[in-house]
Amino acid sequence: MSALSNILLVDDEPLLLSSLSRVLRLHYTVFTAENGVQALDIIQRNKIKVIVSDQRMPGMLGHELLGKVKDLSPNTVRLLLTGYSDLDAILNSVNAGQIFRYINKPCSVEKLREMIELGVQIHDRIVSMQNEAKTETPAKPATEVAKTAADPPATLLFVGYTPAEIQKLTSKMNVRFIVEHATTLDEAFAALNRVSVSVLISDLNFGEHDGIDFLNTVKKEFPHTVTVILTDIVDATMAIRSINEVQVFRYITKPVSEDSFARTVEEAAKKNRTYQSTPHQNIKLTAETISPDQAFQTSAEKLRAKLVAARIALTKSRS
Amino acid sequence: MLGNLQKYREIIISVALFLILDLSVLVVSSITTGQLESDAVAVNLASRQRELSQRIVKTLLQIQIAQNAEHSIEEPQNELATTFKIFDETIEGLRDGRLVTGGDYKTVMLIPVETDSAKVYLERAFLIWNPFKEKLFRVIAAKGTVPKEDLQDAVEYASNNNLLLLDLMNFITSEAEKKLSDKSNTLRTIQITGIIAALINFFILLFHFIRKLRSQDAEITRYSENLEKMVDIRTRELRTAQEQLRATNISLERAKYELEVLNSQLEQKVEERTAELKNTQTQLIQSEKMAALGQMVAGLAHEVNTPLAFVKTNLEGMSEFQKEIFLLVDESEKLCESLKNDDMENLDKHLVQLAELQERLKKANTIQDISDMLRESLTGMDRIQELVMNLKNFSRLDEAEYKYADIHAGIDSTLLIANNIIKNKARVVKEYAPKLYAECYPAQLNQVFLNLITNAAQAIEREDGEIRIKTSIEDGYAVIRVADNGKGIPKEYLNRIFEPFFTTKPVGQGTGLGLSICYQIIEKHSGVMQVESQVGVGTTFTIKIPVKQKRDGGAATEIVRSRSSNLQMA
């Protein structure tokens, strides 16, 4: 019998830890911690594949802990449990924590097991691909690939903003970008088919169509395109979905300073180059190769049809 | 005075003139009259001389006759003597002026004649008289009988000269009459002149006065005309003013009416606005309540969620374990069946399976787990129950609104409600008095406690956050102090924090009504609420409420009333 995978549960409620560990310990080696400090200590001494942390804890908050875990153990897949829909905490964790999933408390044991299992598999896949990458091209780390000067300028696609707005947003950018923009989803799909988009900057408000569905459709077809949401919709559910369904890179609420927006876009472009050179870093892509239906379910069939139609139209016009 | 004198000068001059004229006429005429009397006497006596001369002649003749007839001559002799005497003194009077016997034998003053011709006549008369006088004197002096020659001589002289003497006497009388007439003419002239002068003066005066009066009249007329004109003008002005006034009055009336209309509109508007405002206030208070409630509910949801989460996990785990247990039970039943039926073949098989199952359960520690799960789940349920109890205690919905309540219980239940806000921020230190009860609205006081405790927790930015709750009884007041070691309140905000709508939080994160509502709740309890703060050190809120409310007129009703006004004030 192979050794069970190590997982870490963090919650300030010992009774929750004990109940969870009882239902999980048949399948995993369960570590528990009652606060962030303990959790970090365990992470440093054990190879933890998946960490499940509560958000609200005395001392260190969940997303802070996961941010630190990301630095200490980048391959550990990070899940955040939230019982209390604290909007600021969620947005913070989206933008800083680089977490894989939000799990609402209370969560059924079955669902939790699924998530943990998926996390374990993603972890294993990434690790194995890293190992392969190391043996094949040991001399060229991903970061250096990203920095190659010969790379053509990255393409930005803005969806749902006025030209004036885009003008203002791009005014402080130091790096050169090709800027595309679309006001409707059809225009957006056409643009995506026409050129290779590195960073997609999108609003969420598209009338009859769900913004998250749109992004998900794009992500399915163009997995390396990095998504940045810039919107005035401040909504916890949307934020959670943007992580769980799209694995959004940043969720920014308006208004935003041009400086910080420029920095975000530059980081996103870098991320895009990373994905292209080392696809296993793309956690969403990895997840979908493991369990496509289960990992990122979407109801965006209509949107997918639009995308396909746009592609056909493009092919026709080219031929 | 001087003006008056000036005014009367003319009349004074006129009167003086008049008086002088009249007086002079009077003096002149009285003098002249005196002279006229004398002159009349002279005329009279001169004319008497003619008669006297006649009588002398007659008596001489009578004496002659008597003597001839030898009668007594005594009587005519006496008459001659008297007549002679009077004639003599009169003629002397006419020449020299002297007292003489008048017509009625009274003595009168005779003045001498003045005119030259009269004096001549008188000289001639003396020439005749003086020889006549001697002849007559001998007649008169003769005793018994007059010598004939003497008598003859006298009669002859008389008959020769008597006529001449008479004529002379006539002349003198005429002279005297002429003089008298002259004088009386002069007097008349003077009198007439005086009267005419007086009349002229009078007329001048009259004319002058008339003229003056007329000019005065004219002036008065002019003045009165002027006056009338002015009165007219003033009247017109007055009328205009009156009309203007009337117009003004009308416009005022209209304005007043409009004002009244506006006023009523305003009142209506004020009422509407007041209603709106009240509505807004109610909404604000409602939204403040909802915000507080939302915060509380969210906190509570988290508090309930945690035990719920592990109870659910336990139940799910147990339902998984239950399958194993059921398998065990099933296998046991089958074993019993085999035993009962003496089915040895199956008995062995079931025994083995049962043993396997037992081994598995033992290995997985399932039995122990189940009992732990049950125990822990019950603990979780207890916690949920406790929370619900506290919620009930906090809201006090099932209790009397106003009662003598345990303040500590209120604070404790509030702390539990607020636990999820506090627990990540601070530890709570309680310094309670042994016992603290007060007459109050417990639910409302809890609202105040929740507000203060929440504020305290939110103010804390440091790792070793601490909320110190201290209670005591001071002079019949229940005193509750909530102190934090948070960031503190800047001085400029300190006296404003109880103002409605004052907030330092960003728009949308608090209505700024929390503390003002607290303040009112405490006021309503006849209590006071104070704040002390130092930036960077911390803030202390102090609440003091009377342990027993005053009973005059019923404090409870007072509180109830102020409670309804609470909405308006907030």
Side-chain angles (χ1 to χ4, degrees):
Chain A
M1 206 175 165
S2 64
L4 297 177
S5 300
N6 289 346
I7 63 164
L8 170 60
L9 308 178
V10 191
D11 200 304
D12 60 330
E13 174 53 65
L15 291 181
L16 185 68
L17 289 178
S18 81
S19 72
L20 285 176
S21 53
R22 265 196 298 271
V23 294
L24 293 171
R25 70 167 179 237
L26 282 177
H27 311 285
Y28 307 101
T29 305
V30 180
F31 291 83
T32 61
E34 284 185 28
N35 55 54
V37 181
Q38 279 181 25
L40 289 174
D41 186 50
I42 292 164
I43 290 269
Q44 277 171 322
R45 286 192 278 114
N46 302 278
K47 275 195 186 289
I48 304 293
K49 290 184 178 177
V50 175
I51 176 170
V52 181
S53 173
D54 187 26
Q55 166 65 11
R56 287 182 80 91
M57 293 181 296
M60 202 185 295
L61 289 173
H63 75 265
E64 292 170 338
L65 169 64
L66 296 187
K68 285 180 180 157
V69 170
K70 181 191 162 200
D71 295 335
L72 280 174
S73 170
N75 292 335
T76 302
V77 174
R78 301 171 292 272
L79 306 180
L80 190 67
L81 266 174
T82 58
Y84 180 59
S85 297
D86 186 342
L87 187 69
D88 285 342
I90 292 163
L91 289 180
N92 283 341
S93 60
V94 168
N95 294 329
Q98 285 287 297
I99 60 166
F100 172 55
R101 273 305 145 82
Y102 284 101
I103 301 165
N104 266 318
K105 222 158 96 170
C107 169
S108 75
V109 174
E110 193 186 349
K111 178 95 178 168
L112 187 66
R113 274 203 201 111
E114 267 174 30
M115 288 298 141
I116 291 171
E117 188 51 38
L118 186 61
V120 168
Q121 287 183 31
I122 288 168
H123 172 268
D124 291 347
R125 174 67 62 90
I126 289 170
V127 168
S128 72
M129 285 177 82
Q130 273 172 347
N131 291 340
E132 280 169 32
K134 270 179 197 158
T135 50
E136 280 169 15
T137 51
K140 203 172 180 184
T143 46
E144 274 182 38
V145 174
K147 279 179 186 165
T148 308
D151 282 345
T155 302
L156 309 180
L157 173 60
F158 286 87
V159 184
Y161 307 97
T162 64
E165 228 175 328
I166 295 165
Q167 179 68 42
K168 195 158 174 279
L169 286 170
T170 53
S171 62
K172 292 280 174 70
M173 288 178 182
N174 299 320
V175 183
R176 275 201 59 220
F177 292 107
I178 299 163
V179 177
E180 296 274 337
H181 65 91
T183 41
T184 65
L185 296 190
D186 290 317
E187 280 173 31
F189 286 135
L192 283 161
N193 284 321
R194 199 170 62 243
V195 293
S196 165
V197 175
S198 308
V199 182
L200 173 65
I201 300 112
S202 177
D203 206 337
L204 288 176
N205 192 4
F206 297 110
E208 58 170 321
H209 299 294
D210 185 301
I212 301 290
D213 282 352
F214 161 67
L215 295 178
N216 201 347
T217 311
V218 174
K219 269 285 193 184
K220 272 213 169 80
E221 292 296 320
F222 309 98
H224 294 327
T225 299
V226 176
T227 313
V228 172
I229 293 172
L230 173 64
T231 183
D232 44 18
I233 297 174
V234 188
D235 182 278
T237 316
M238 281 293 209
I240 290 171
R241 282 182 64 202
S242 72
I243 284 293
N244 288 359
E245 297 178 24
V246 188
Q247 200 67 46
V248 73
F249 178 67
R250 289 285 189 277
Y251 190 110
I252 308 169
T253 53
K254 286 183 193 171
V256 63
S257 82
E258 285 86 47
D259 280 325
S260 74
F261 182 73
R263 273 200 306 280
T264 304
V265 170
E266 280 159 29
E267 278 174 44
K270 209 160 95 185
K271 192 84 185 172
N272 170 253
R273 287 193 290 275
T274 312
Y275 285 168
Q276 279 167 349
S277 58
T278 51
H280 63 266
Q281 292 287 343
N282 191 336
I283 197 164
K284 181 178 161 77
L285 185 64
T286 311
E288 288 191 347
T289 53
I290 297 163
S291 169
D293 293 334
Q294 188 195 354
F296 292 93
Q297 286 155 351
T298 173
S299 57
E301 281 313 307
K302 243 164 91 183
L303 286 171
R304 206 176 139 67
K306 269 180 185 276
L307 182 73
V308 172
R311 181 168 298 162
I312 291 164
L314 189 74
T315 331
K316 270 183 187 169
S317 69
R318 275 180 184 164
S319 65
Chain B
M1 267 325 261
L2 208 69
N4 283 351
L5 275 179
Q6 201 77 4
K7 210 160 79 180
Y8 295 117
R9 201 177 62 178
E10 269 177 86
I11 200 167
I12 288 166
I13 288 169
S14 294
V15 167
L17 209 58
F18 188 80
L19 282 175
I20 288 164
L21 278 171
D22 266 16
L23 273 175
S24 55
V25 167
L26 195 69
V27 166
V28 168
S29 65
S30 83
I31 291 168
T32 315
T33 307
Q35 281 178 356
L36 281 179
E37 269 172 22
S38 305
D39 286 346
V41 167
V43 169
N44 191 24
L45 291 185
S47 109
R48 194 182 64 178
Q49 288 301 78
R50 288 184 311 180
E51 188 207 323
L52 284 174
S53 73
Q54 295 282 27
R55 192 174 288 191
I56 288 168
V57 171
K58 189 194 90 179
T59 50
L60 270 178
L61 287 173
Q62 279 176 341
I63 291 170
Q64 197 174 43
I65 294 160
Q67 213 167 325
N68 289 341
E70 299 192 10
H71 287 308
S72 171
I73 60 161
E74 202 180 340
E75 201 178 320
Q77 205 182 15
N78 282 344
E79 194 181 340
L80 181 63
T82 307
T83 310
F84 169 80
K85 191 186 164 235
I86 294 170
F87 189 89
D88 189 51
E89 65 186 30
T90 303
I91 199 164
E92 277 178 20
L94 282 173
R95 191 189 60 198
D96 305 322
R98 58 166 286 184
L99 286 171
V100 295
T101 309
D104 44 0
Y105 299 102
K106 277 181 187 168
T107 304
V108 292
M109 183 64 195
L110 183 64
I111 54 165
V113 292
E114 284 164 6
T115 57
D116 290 338
S117 56
K119 274 177 187 170
V120 173
Y121 291 139
L122 199 59
E123 257 338 289
R124 283 168 67 183
F126 264 105
L127 283 176
I128 296 166
W129 177 250
N130 280 336
F132 192 34
K133 207 166 101 181
E134 278 176 34
K135 293 168 177 74
L136 283 176
F137 193 71
R138 275 178 321 245
V139 169
I140 292 163
K143 300 275 183 197
T145 54
V146 181
K148 225 173 170 173
E149 55 282 12
D150 284 346
L151 188 51
Q152 194 65 32
D153 192 25
V155 171
E156 272 178 30
Y157 195 84
S159 53
N160 289 340
N161 292 302
N162 193 29
L163 278 174
L164 188 61
L165 196 63
L166 264 177
D167 281 346
L168 281 174
M169 281 299 124
N170 261 344
F171 285 134
I172 289 168
T173 305
S174 304
E175 273 300 308
E177 273 179 356
K178 202 171 145 200
K179 192 188 160 197
L180 181 66
S181 157
D182 279 354
K183 281 204 176 163
S184 84
N185 276 343
T186 309
L187 182 60
R188 199 175 300 128
T189 310
I190 288 169
Q191 280 179 335
I192 289 168
T193 311
I195 286 167
I196 288 170
L199 276 173
I200 288 168
N201 184 31
F202 172 74
F203 279 115
I204 287 171
L205 201 60
L206 187 67
F207 175 74
H208 189 73
F209 271 111
I210 286 172
R211 208 183 56 184
K212 204 165 183 189
L213 275 175
R214 200 170 289 161
S215 87
Q216 276 179 351
D217 268 359
E219 210 164 292
I220 286 170
T221 312
R222 206 167 53 241
Y223 186 75
S224 73
E225 273 172 13
N226 270 347
L227 201 65
E228 261 172 45
K229 233 178 263 174
M230 273 169 71
V231 166
D232 259 5
I233 291 169
R234 291 307 296 269
T235 310
R236 228 172 295 138
E237 281 175 0
L238 271 174
R239 198 168 297 138
T240 314
Q242 207 179 11
E243 270 161 28
Q244 280 175 353
L245 199 68
R246 197 174 301 133
T248 314
N249 246 358
I250 290 169
S251 61
L252 264 177
E253 281 289 324
R254 195 174 305 140
K256 194 180 152 198
Y257 173 74
E258 279 168 18
L259 205 65
E260 269 167 22
V261 170
L262 276 178
N263 225 5
S264 73
Q265 282 176 351
L266 196 68
E267 262 169 38
Q268 199 184 330
K269 260 189 197 158
V270 165
E271 262 169 42
E272 280 171 24
R273 294 304 289 270
T274 310
E276 271 175 41
L277 208 63
K278 242 183 226 176
N279 201 12
T280 315
Q281 281 175 342
T282 315
Q283 281 176 358
L284 268 169
I285 289 170
Q286 198 57 30
S287 72
E288 172 66 28
K289 278 185 183 165
M290 287 310 288
L293 192 68
Q295 208 177 25
M296 213 177 82
V297 167
L300 275 169
H302 185 82
E303 288 297 303
V304 175
N305 217 13
T306 305
L308 201 67
F310 67 76
V311 170
K312 191 176 176 226
T313 307
N314 283 338
L315 288 176
E316 281 173 338
M318 278 194 282
S319 72
E320 278 172 21
F321 295 161
Q322 167 213 303
K323 288 170 199 154
E324 297 283 306
I325 305 293
F326 279 5
L327 271 178
L328 191 72
V329 172
D330 197 34
E331 218 47 57
S332 308
E333 274 178 4
K334 280 176 185 166
L335 189 68
C336 287
E337 198 70 22
S338 301
L339 273 173
K340 224 192 270 173
N341 300 339
D342 276 343
D343 184 355
M344 295 308 282
E345 277 179 43
N346 284 327
L347 187 68
D348 269 355
K349 195 178 83 187
H350 290 314
L351 265 175
V352 171
Q353 279 177 352
L354 197 62
E356 269 178 24
L357 270 171
Q358 278 175 333
E359 185 59 28
R360 212 160 76 202
L361 283 172
K362 206 172 181 180
K363 201 178 167 190
N365 203 15
T366 306
I367 303 299
Q368 183 58 45
D369 273 358
I370 286 175
S371 95
D372 286 349
M373 281 168 161
L374 279 171
R375 189 170 35 79
E376 286 174 15
S377 294
L378 282 173
T379 310
M381 294 319 281
D382 283 348
R383 268 167 56 179
I384 292 171
Q385 191 186 8
E386 196 192 340
L387 273 166
V388 172
M389 277 290 293
N390 262 301
L391 196 61
K392 213 178 72 177
N393 279 345
F394 181 79
S395 71
R396 309 260 179 166
L397 283 177
D398 55 346
E399 290 177 27
E401 273 206 330
Y402 181 72
K403 66 186 278 192
Y404 195 61
D406 183 354
I407 301 294
H408 291 153
I411 300 174
D412 287 343
S413 68
T414 307
L415 280 170
L416 267 164
I417 297 293
N419 184 38
N420 107 90
I421 300 165
I422 305 167
K423 75 172 176 194
N424 299 330
K425 292 271 202 166
R427 70 193 183 94
V428 176
V429 181
K430 297 180 192 173
E431 293 175 22
Y432 285 177
K435 219 177 89 177
L436 189 65
Y437 280 78
E439 280 182 332
C440 61
Y441 291 96
Q444 292 186 21
L445 273 194
N446 289 349
Q447 194 184 333
V448 175
F449 297 148
L450 181 65
N451 214 304
L452 294 187
I453 290 167
T454 308
N455 280 351
Q458 284 170 348
I460 288 168
E461 287 173 334
R462 55 208 280 174
E463 287 293 310
D464 57 338
E466 186 180 280
I467 299 173
R468 192 172 287 268
I469 302 172
K470 192 175 173 182
T471 66
S472 56
I473 295 177
E474 294 169 16
D475 302 331
Y477 278 83
V479 182
I480 303 109
R481 286 191 177 81
V482 180
D484 66 59
N485 57 356
K487 59 184 169 187
I489 303 165
K491 241 185 187 153
E492 62 265 33
Y493 294 156
L494 210 54
N495 52 1
R496 297 192 57 199
I497 57 168
F498 295 125
E499 284 176 22
F501 309 114
F502 179 79
T503 179
T504 54
K505 292 177 187 170
V507 175
Q509 287 190 28
T511 58
L513 282 176
L515 277 176
S516 78
I517 289 173
C518 291
Y519 192 82
Q520 281 171 18
I521 290 172
I522 298 305
E523 259 190 349
K524 180 159 93 177
H525 283 84
S526 315
V528 286
M529 186 165 175
Q530 290 161 340
V531 61
E532 291 160 61
S533 187
Q534 208 175 335
V535 174
V537 177
T539 306
T540 305
F541 280 92
T542 306
I543 297 168
K544 291 182 186 179
I545 58 165
V547 171
K548 287 219 179 271
Q549 296 284 343
K550 277 184 191 149
R551 284 289 170 201
D552 51 281
T557 51
E558 174 62 29
I559 288 170
V560 168
R561 204 170 64 231
S562 66
R563 190 182 184 205
S564 58
S565 68
N566 185 18
L567 282 183
Q568 292 161 24
M569 285 171 69

